[in-house]
Amino acid sequence: MSDPVQRPRSFQEIILALQTYWARQGCAILQPYDMEVGAGTFHPATTLRSLGTNPWAAAYVQPSRRPTDGRYGENPNRLQHYYQYQVLIKPSPPNLQELYLGSLQAIGIDMALHDIRFVEDDWESPTLGAWGLGWEVWCDGMEVSQFTYFQQVGGHDCHPVSGELTYGLERLAMYVLGVDHVMDMPFNSPDAPIPLTYGDIFKQTEEEFARWNFDVANTEVLLDHFVEAENECNAILSQDALDPKTGKRIIMAHPAYDQCIKASHIFNLLDARGVISVTERQAYIGRVRTLAKACADAFVQTRAGGWTEDAA
Amino acid sequence: MPDLLIELFSEEIPARMQARAADDLKKLVTNGLVEAGLTYASAAAFSTPRRLTLTIEGMLDASPSITEERKGPKADAPEKAIEGFLRGAGLTRDQLEKRETPKGNILFAMIKKPGRPAAEIVAEVLETTIRNFPWPKSMRWGTGSLRWVRPLHSILCILSAEDGAQVVPMNVDGIEAGATTRGHRFLAPDTITVSNFDDYAAKLKRAFVVLDPAERRDAIWHDATNMAFANGFEVVEDAGLLAEVAGLVEWPVVLMGRIGDAFLDLPPEVLQTSMKEHQKFFSVRNPKTGRIERFVTVANRTTADDGATILAGNEKVLSARLSDAKFFWENDLRIAKSDAGMQTWVDRLSNVTFHNKLGTQAELISRMEALAGELAPMVGADADEAREAARFAKADLSSEMVYEFPELQGLMGSYYAQAAGKSEAIAAAAQDHYAPLGPSDDVPTAPVSVAVALAEKIDKLTGFWAIDEKPTGSKDPFALRRAALGVIRILVENDLKLLLWGRLNSGFHEHFTRDQSMKIADSDEVFDKAIKALNLSPKTEQNIRRRISDDHREKAKAYLDGFRFVNTDDGMGKLVDTKTGETISDETLILEEDDLLSFLHDRLKVYLKDQGVRHDIIDACIAMEGNDDLTLLVKRAKALSETLKTDDGENLIQGFKRANNILSQAEEADGVEYSYGADIKFAETDEERALFAALDAAEAKINPAMAAQDFTDAMSAMASLRGPIDAFFDAVQVNSDNSTVRRNRLNLLSRIRTICSSVADLTKIDG
């Protein structure tokens, strides 16, 4: 917290400042998960690692996709593809709030001039069978982060409890940089030989994906993909723990969870295409949740999930 | 007499839980102390976002020692019995007292229970309180197992007397009680050591924490109204928001900001809702223009720039929020004013489920349309206008604004209907058809609104009755009791005559007719079962699911639910139970209807009871013909209630019951019904003749009054019979030895019964 407050001038500086800050707090700085997800929580480094008794501390940027939020790049702060910064520490340290405030300082928010508030906001993910209690953090009336103490994930009680921090990077950066429209935000340094704005990089992709998400995505194919992912997930988990080839105990929790992530994203796409009725919606969410729970059940049977030979 | 100070210091407690938690802390701790013998002079509890505080003054420093007397066996009881008694009391034989009693010499034990020091009791009570605290939602954190609303960081627990303070030694899950707390998170984060409550409150104030929520509330309101007034504005009152905001800050600082000019033309409700729900801002009105032009936000701190940065940030956030709202408003208006107009939204509602057994919102709307059209002439509305109003009443559910702010449903519909050029009555119905939402909410009075409001509620009641989702006990997930009370209040308070019997029937028919019949048997799970039963490969199953026509789908569902749809000659079709082959007939509908009418009557009883009408009086009126006309029923019940409050009325009941009892006994004994032919020529006494005359006179008044449904007149005529009936019973023995006279008198009693029963079923009246 003793770093001098330096105002960042670009989106990437803010990301780098967060990376440096959380690395100094002892987090493993992971890379984004290489699949389409709706939020940083879906990264196995959060969903799966919050389960079981093994301690954990990780931070990472996660590109996130929410097809229904697409606005063809026109809305000043709504995007179908955006970045979240995610921190997960297990067990949650007693000074997690102070650590979090330190991170705001690290990205140039002067604590003496701003009004930071912790406003009740309980988190629940029906698709992950997960919930926790916490707050949305406000800076001068703007939500800049979600702060959650995980209580249950994949239907399992969290013991110990993980503390999860999620920063909506674009919104936070726009605030810090004083930019009104996301597309105008400097991505790299405005003084760079080739200065790039967020719009230079993402305006076109927002248009392209909005059109595809809303009007073109082939729903028949997507429906097939959903069922295929569901079947594959179940097929993976139905395998015997003992791998006949190596003779090792290999429970494939992560490959199964990849399929769960896939099903979840396909559901989001179908939702954006407007082909899912309200009743069906619940049913689809229930199907993804069933997969997430099965993956959680499998993960806690692995070493990373706290399983030991002795206990078994 | 020491004082006790407790503070439970945690991470931010949700604003909505703070007041209740402070009360619970006070109640649980003081109850526990008193139960253990520690009485006190006074107690008070406070809350801030980060602390719950309890101060107790004038508490005993130890619980008093008490002596409990226990009665034992007789002095000459067997040795074994006495030994047992000694064991139980923990005493020796020489410590027992022998007393002479009328039952002989009895042994008594005097068991001394020594008092315990306050600190010991406080530690026990507080630990129990913390471990069993009734938070609406609680959590664990870190590696611990303690539950609190958010992580609990410290416990301050001191007993203070004139000679100083003493920490109550205790430890809850690793949190050791102490004499310290912390000030404001940002303005004074350091540790503070306190010695008593006054010291605590004073030091907290110096550390930028206003402990008392009432003080924070008053300060916010005072500063906000002053600031607005100084600028020629007024703050829109909102007690709920004020309490919430006071729970979000320890050091309130009021700031007033501007709403961008671009947003001033949004409907004021949209501005207010957006600012309140998202930002917890108060709306500030310009009394000259009547518009909301400013906002008040409450920060949790002072800053070197007097809040300039904070205010600028808040204004920016509000702009972004309102840009969204404006975008929704303009998009919605564009659709409302387009050629297709609000029908675009109605069409979209065919993709929105109302209830999975009652079909989509669009289907609900078409049922409402039919019902509203049917109801219109009965409530003085134009049928076409009522149908149109019903068609568009829920269109706004598809609008972007209502998607964002569900609490604006109805209101937005009304704005959009106006923009679409609909009549004022139609626009009003969009908002008013949801009413009344509670017992104190106004009922709609405009005829078109009434027709649509009734249609909505009757459809809801009959629909959920048809699928057997009736309220049970405390469970009423679809708010059917509220809908029933709505029907009652709309009819009664508008003095509308509506025979519910036929209307409920129409409602049920809407649900059971051809298009809807399958929906009742609808359920995706059922369809899933059917497909699964075919044991197809996943690929084929998917293809079938996708390609199968809606018609097939519906039939498959109906079939599996045990019903089959059979075509009939009249083209209406009928629903057949596949197991029994029985047609789901009109009788089924009538049974449901009867049951629903009873439900409405039960709600009516509650409604009238609140207005001081006794429940037996309502029963006496429900037992009469025409009880599906609730307005008539209420008039009858109120008139009867008034009549029974008079001396004549009360005594008439006695006379009526006496007449009815004698008559019923005689009819049972004789096996005949005395119902005709009382003749004045067989009358023997003046009192008997007077009763004949009185009955003739009453009948002459009651019959036309009843025909005109003037219950007050009818009942006062009935009450006038009290004197003649009493006089008759005083003077006349009904069971005369002369059988002709006896028969004549019984027939006379029968006239009393007939006349009185034409007004209400008085046998149901208590007493």
Side-chain angles (χ1 to χ4, degrees):
Chain A
M1 278 225 233
S2 56
D3 290 322
V5 175
Q6 255 184 353
R7 286 190 75 84
R9 299 179 62 214
S10 67
F11 188 50
Q12 71 192 27
E13 261 184 80
I14 288 173
I15 296 175
L16 292 170
L18 285 173
Q19 299 277 52
T20 310
Y21 177 82
W22 285 108
R24 283 195 190 154
Q25 308 310 324
C27 287
I29 303 300
L30 303 181
Q31 299 305 316
Y33 203 57
D34 59 343
M35 289 184 70
E36 298 140 309
V37 293
T41 309
F42 275 86
H43 196 308
T46 290
T47 312
L48 296 182
R49 294 291 175 155
S50 64
L51 294 163
T53 50
N54 293 345
W56 183 254
Y60 54 90
V61 176
Q62 180 62 49
S64 306
R65 300 204 191 203
R66 295 204 178 155
T68 44
D69 280 352
R71 295 290 183 275
Y72 302 85
E74 282 160 18
N75 187 286
N77 48 27
R78 264 189 222 240
L79 301 159
Q80 57 83 38
H81 172 281
Y82 65 105
Y83 291 105
Q84 283 194 341
Y85 196 83
Q86 175 87 5
V87 179
L88 189 86
I89 305 181
K90 178 174 74 172
S92 64
N95 62 340
L96 188 56
Q97 278 186 312
E98 280 69 37
L99 290 177
Y100 167 75
L101 293 171
S103 76
L104 294 186
Q105 227 157 356
I107 57 171
I109 295 180
D110 180 356
M111 290 290 140
L113 285 180
H114 293 274
D115 182 31
I116 311 287
R117 236 73 86 64
F118 292 86
V119 180
E120 176 191 16
D121 189 31
D122 301 339
W123 172 81
E124 189 182 359
S125 168
T127 39
L128 288 176
W131 67 276
L133 298 190
W135 312 272
E136 48 183 50
V137 185
W138 286 14
C139 175
D140 304 336
M142 183 169 75
E143 184 194 338
V144 289
S145 304
Q146 280 288 142
F147 191 129
T148 308
Y149 291 102
F150 279 181
Q151 301 295 301
Q152 209 178 59
V153 172
H156 290 257
D157 280 344
C158 298
H159 236 310
V161 168
S162 302
E164 183 210 41
L165 307 173
T166 304
Y167 307 70
L169 282 173
E170 282 82 356
R171 203 142 42 127
L172 180 61
M174 282 166 67
Y175 192 71
V176 172
L177 301 172
V179 176
D180 290 330
H181 199 296
V182 62
M183 294 300 168
D184 299 333
M185 179 163 62
F187 202 103
N188 61 358
S189 166
D191 303 330
I194 305 172
L196 294 168
T197 64
Y198 197 92
D200 291 334
I201 301 170
F202 288 118
K203 169 77 173 138
Q204 183 178 329
T205 55
E206 280 300 305
E207 279 176 0
E208 293 177 3
F209 274 101
R211 183 174 177 197
W212 182 72
N213 292 337
F214 288 131
D215 302 318
V216 178
N218 184 327
T219 55
E220 297 206 1
V221 171
L222 288 172
L223 283 165
D224 282 346
H225 285 350
F226 183 91
V227 176
E228 284 160 12
E230 192 179 33
N231 290 342
E232 181 64 11
C233 182
N234 289 325
I236 295 171
L237 293 176
S238 67
Q239 297 295 313
D240 191 20
L242 194 73
D243 172 27
K245 198 168 88 196
T246 60
K248 285 185 178 173
R249 182 175 180 280
I250 306 178
I251 293 174
M252 295 164 286
H254 287 81
Y257 181 63
D258 276 3
Q259 299 301 322
C260 168
I261 293 178
K262 213 172 262 186
S264 169
H265 179 64
I266 293 166
F267 160 72
N268 288 341
L269 283 170
L270 287 167
D271 198 24
R273 285 285 278 115
V275 294
I276 291 179
S277 74
V278 177
T279 340
E280 283 176 324
R281 225 171 164 272
Q282 289 315 312
Y284 273 102
I285 289 172
R287 283 162 77 180
V288 178
R289 182 169 56 240
T290 306
L291 299 182
K293 284 188 168 172
C295 295
D297 293 346
F299 179 74
V300 296
Q301 293 302 318
T302 68
R303 281 181 201 282
W307 179 88
T308 56
E309 208 108 19
D310 311 341
Chain B
M1 290 271 180
D3 298 334
L4 172 65
L5 174 63
I6 294 170
E7 184 206 62
L8 304 171
F9 183 80
S10 67
E11 296 178 15
E12 279 75 357
I13 306 166
R16 64 188 172 94
M17 299 178 188
Q18 290 166 19
R20 171 74 191 275
D23 285 349
D24 284 340
L25 178 65
K26 181 171 143 185
K27 197 175 69 200
L28 291 169
V29 171
T30 54
N31 285 354
L33 294 178
V34 169
E35 239 168 69
L38 282 187
T39 52
Y40 60 93
S42 66
F46 305 95
S47 61
T48 79
R50 295 211 289 166
R51 57 200 96 220
L52 295 180
T53 301
L54 174 64
T55 169
I56 296 181
E57 292 184 348
M59 194 176 72
L60 294 179
D61 54 9
S63 60
S65 47
I66 46 173
T67 307
E68 185 188 291
E69 183 184 278
R70 203 180 289 178
K71 188 177 159 191
K74 285 187 181 178
D76 55 359
E79 206 52 35
K80 273 204 169 153
I82 296 174
E83 272 169 26
F85 178 63
L86 286 171
R87 254 198 314 279
L91 297 177
T92 54
R93 177 77 200 241
D94 55 326
Q95 289 172 303
L96 296 184
E97 258 180 51
K98 189 163 76 180
R99 284 187 216 160
E100 274 184 40
T101 75
K103 287 182 181 168
N105 281 333
I106 304 240
L107 294 172
F108 280 86
M110 305 301 285
I111 305 166
K112 284 209 175 101
K113 287 193 172 168
R116 299 166 61 210
E120 200 179 306
I121 296 172
V122 167
E124 268 174 27
V125 169
L126 184 55
E127 174 161 2
T128 309
T129 300
I130 292 173
R131 290 194 185 280
N132 300 293
F133 205 80
W135 291 110
K137 266 187 194 170
S138 63
M139 54 163 275
R140 290 173 289 102
W141 60 94
T143 50
S145 59
L146 185 64
R147 301 188 75 90
W148 199 246
V149 63
R150 292 294 183 275
L152 179 64
H153 280 269
S154 66
I155 299 170
L156 181 156
C157 186
I158 54 172
L159 282 167
S160 45
E162 275 159 29
D163 54 347
Q166 170 211 345
V167 172
V168 173
M170 63 180 291
N171 181 312
V172 184
D173 259 45
I175 306 170
E176 189 79 38
T180 60
T181 183
R182 283 170 191 279
H184 190 279
R185 183 189 279 288
F186 300 103
L187 297 170
D190 293 338
T191 303
I192 301 167
T193 304
V194 303
S195 54
N196 58 47
F197 176 71
D198 290 341
D199 182 45
Y200 167 79
K203 281 179 174 160
L204 276 185
K205 197 155 269 181
R206 283 204 292 280
F208 303 95
V209 175
V210 180
L211 178 64
D212 186 349
E215 193 182 331
R216 293 196 301 274
R217 222 159 37 221
D218 293 348
I220 292 169
W221 189 246
H222 176 265
D223 290 357
T225 47
N226 271 4
M227 197 177 283
F229 181 76
N231 288 281
F233 294 105
E234 60 193 21
V235 185
V236 178
E237 268 190 60
D238 190 334
L241 181 61
L242 183 59
E244 187 182 0
V245 169
L248 288 172
V249 292
E250 293 199 312
W251 192 253
V253 175
V254 169
L255 301 168
M256 188 165 78
R258 290 181 156 273
I259 298 169
D261 289 342
F263 309 118
L264 294 180
D265 291 331
L266 282 170
E269 296 89 346
V270 171
L271 286 175
Q272 264 170 278
T273 307
S274 177
M275 296 203 294
K276 173 183 173 167
E277 297 300 321
H278 289 143
Q279 303 303 136
K280 324 259 185 236
F281 289 170
F282 290 92
S283 296
V284 178
R285 190 186 291 122
N286 180 345
K288 285 185 214 92
T289 60
R291 293 191 308 195
I292 309 287
E293 297 180 359
R294 296 283 188 279
F295 67 87
V296 157
T297 183
V298 183
N300 187 30
R301 64 170 302 156
T302 53
T303 62
D305 64 354
D306 286 329
T309 307
I310 296 174
L311 193 58
N314 275 287
E315 281 178 347
K316 194 171 204 173
V317 180
L318 181 64
S319 266
R321 289 281 188 204
L322 294 182
S323 298
D324 263 2
K326 192 169 186 238
F327 177 74
F328 301 146
W329 168 245
E330 284 167 0
N331 281 355
D332 288 348
L333 283 182
R334 200 171 306 129
I335 289 182
K337 290 177 180 171
S338 68
D339 290 344
M342 294 173 85
Q343 187 62 40
T344 319
W345 287 331
V346 177
D347 293 344
R348 258 184 238 162
L349 289 175
S350 55
N351 294 321
V352 182
T353 308
F354 166 59
H355 179 282
N356 65 4
K357 291 185 181 172
L358 294 173
T360 65
Q361 293 275 11
E363 287 164 310
L364 160 72
I365 287 168
S366 68
R367 293 193 302 265
M368 272 172 60
E369 222 181 304
L371 268 176
E374 195 183 318
L375 288 162
M378 301 169 207
V379 302
D382 177 73
D384 286 338
E385 200 176 22
R387 267 193 291 270
E388 194 180 356
R391 189 177 326 132
F392 297 117
K394 291 185 186 292
D396 65 347
L397 294 180
S398 300
S399 71
E400 294 184 29
M401 189 71 87
V402 173
Y403 182 81
E404 190 70 14
F405 300 110
E407 63 271 46
L408 292 179
Q409 71 174 16
L411 177 80
M412 294 322 296
S414 167
Y415 277 114
Y416 296 144
Q418 276 165 24
K422 307 283 178 207
S423 72
E424 279 194 22
I426 291 174
Q431 180 167 14
D432 296 341
H433 81 281
Y434 291 104
L437 290 171
S440 53
D441 194 20
D442 287 343
V443 302
T445 52
V448 172
S449 297
V450 166
V452 182
L454 283 174
E456 191 226 22
K457 290 165 182 64
I458 290 174
D459 177 80
K460 193 172 186 188
L461 288 166
T462 51
F464 285 100
W465 240 255
I467 60 168
D468 206 19
E469 285 280 2
K470 304 168 193 175
T472 50
S474 61
K475 282 199 196 114
D476 184 11
F478 303 107
L480 300 179
R481 290 192 180 105
R482 190 171 79 188
L485 180 63
V487 171
I488 291 165
R489 287 191 52 211
I490 292 172
L491 293 174
V492 173
E493 291 175 29
N494 284 306
D495 195 19
L496 290 170
K497 181 176 178 61
L498 188 77
L499 301 173
L500 273 180
W501 194 255
R503 304 293 75 72
L504 297 182
N505 201 287
S506 302
F508 279 116
H509 266 289
E510 285 298 324
H511 285 288
F512 280 98
T513 46
R514 188 188 190 118
D515 287 336
Q516 311 303 330
S517 59
M518 301 315 177
K519 291 294 181 291
I520 290 161
D522 180 349
S523 128
D524 278 358
E525 287 136 67
V526 172
F527 181 61
D528 283 346
K529 253 188 257 163
I531 296 283
K532 287 256 153 48
L534 295 171
N535 245 337
L536 307 164
S537 75
K539 191 88 188 169
T540 321
E541 185 185 317
Q542 266 312 293
N543 283 332
I544 288 185
R545 276 176 194 282
R546 214 175 300 138
R547 302 227 170 80
I548 201 159
S549 74
D550 282 346
D551 188 29
H552 283 107
R553 207 179 157 98
E554 297 305 344
K555 282 187 179 152
K557 280 178 205 163
Y559 179 76
L560 280 157
D561 242 18
F563 297 106
R564 195 148 39 91
F565 194 70
V566 179
N567 286 319
T568 53
D569 291 343
D570 61 5
M572 287 299 287
K574 61 178 182 179
L575 207 54
V576 174
D577 187 325
T578 43
K579 284 195 207 85
T580 61
E582 277 171 41
T583 303
I584 307 301
S585 64
D586 280 356
E587 279 86 69
T588 315
L589 302 189
I590 288 165
L591 281 177
E592 291 292 2
E593 199 178 337
D594 210 13
D595 189 43
L596 179 52
L597 192 60
S598 310
F599 176 72
L600 280 158
H601 284 153
D602 284 344
R603 291 293 98 200
L604 184 69
K605 283 183 198 170
V606 175
Y607 170 72
L608 284 177
K609 207 170 161 192
D610 290 343
Q611 305 196 8
V613 180
R614 274 170 19 211
H615 155 315
D616 55 324
I617 293 177
I618 306 165
D619 280 336
C621 298
I622 288 175
M624 303 300 289
E625 284 272 311
N627 65 4
D628 64 329
D629 179 345
L630 301 184
T631 306
L632 192 72
L633 187 51
V634 167
K635 281 186 187 160
R636 193 192 287 264
K638 284 191 170 168
L640 183 56
S641 181
E642 287 309 309
T643 305
L644 292 187
K645 279 178 196 159
T646 64
D647 190 41
D648 276 351
E650 202 186 329
N651 286 294
L652 173 78
I653 296 297
Q654 303 312 319
F656 166 80
K657 287 203 166 168
R658 192 162 169 195
N660 191 46
N661 287 342
I662 294 170
L663 186 58
S664 303
Q665 281 162 16
E667 284 179 334
E668 201 179 333
D670 304 348
V672 292
E673 193 180 323
Y674 294 99
S675 59
Y676 180 71
D679 194 332
I680 197 162
K681 75 180 179 209
F682 298 116
E684 287 183 338
T685 66
D686 286 346
E687 287 81 1
E688 211 172 349
R689 276 185 287 272
L691 182 56
F692 268 100
L695 285 168
D696 287 344
E699 209 166 33
K701 277 190 199 150
I702 291 174
N703 286 344
M706 286 303 290
Q709 298 182 348
D710 185 339
F711 298 111
T712 311
D713 268 12
M715 288 190 195
S716 82
M718 179 178 80
S720 72
L721 290 172
R722 177 246 171 144
I725 291 174
D726 283 357
F728 171 80
F729 280 123
D730 284 346
V732 178
Q733 180 76 31
V734 175
N735 285 318
S736 160
D737 294 337
N738 179 332
S739 67
T740 310
V741 172
R742 176 174 175 269
R743 193 181 325 116
N744 196 55
R745 287 178 179 162
L746 287 169
N747 280 325
L748 184 61
L749 294 187
S750 164
R751 279 192 68 195
I752 297 177
R753 178 162 75 181
T754 308
I755 289 175
C756 291
S757 299
S758 70
V759 179
D761 185 351
L762 300 183
T763 58
K764 299 226 184 299
I765 301 294
D766 293 341

